[in-house]
Amino acid sequence: MLTVFAIMLAGIGAGYFLRRIPDIKIIGKLITCFIFLLLFFLGISVGHNEKIVNNLTTIGLQALIITMGAIAGSILLAWFVYKKFFVKGKE
């Protein structure tokens, strides 16, 4: 974990010092390509693991329930913050 944190800090430092270079804008497209590549390799890893493939329906249902809960919680909290801080009441 410390290695990941150190690499991230090194990237932030490099980005800070290289931000004035105009041709560095291609980085966004490279990041997108690398994310797609990482997702592809993650898919290969999941497809290769028999335990995950055999329990995909159970895992999928749990993931769906967690996702729906996260979405509902985010919507409720966003609504609360909007009402509390952005809507002027009848004062």
Side-chain angles (χ1 to χ4, degrees):
M1 186 67 179
L2 187 59
T3 305
V4 173
F5 188 66
I7 291 171
M8 190 172 174
L9 284 177
I12 291 171
Y16 179 77
F17 290 113
L18 298 175
R19 66 182 175 194
R20 305 225 190 276
I21 299 175
D23 293 335
I24 206 84
K25 303 290 185 206
I26 195 167
I27 297 273
K29 291 180 182 178
L30 285 174
I31 289 172
T32 302
C33 290
F34 281 118
I35 289 173
F36 288 154
L37 192 62
L38 285 169
L39 287 171
F40 176 74
F41 285 124
L42 178 64
I44 289 174
S45 175
V46 168
H48 184 69
N49 190 332
E50 280 187 43
K51 192 173 185 180
I52 292 176
V53 172
N54 290 338
N55 295 317
L56 204 52
T57 55
T58 305
I59 294 170
L61 180 62
Q62 290 174 352
L64 179 65
I65 291 169
I66 291 170
T67 301
M68 297 308 270
I71 290 171
S74 295
I75 290 171
L76 286 173
L77 187 61
W79 175 79
F80 173 75
V81 169
Y82 176 74
K83 289 289 189 180
K84 181 80 172 161
F85 298 107
F86 295 102
V87 175
K88 299 201 185 226
K90 296 179 182 178
E91 298 172 1

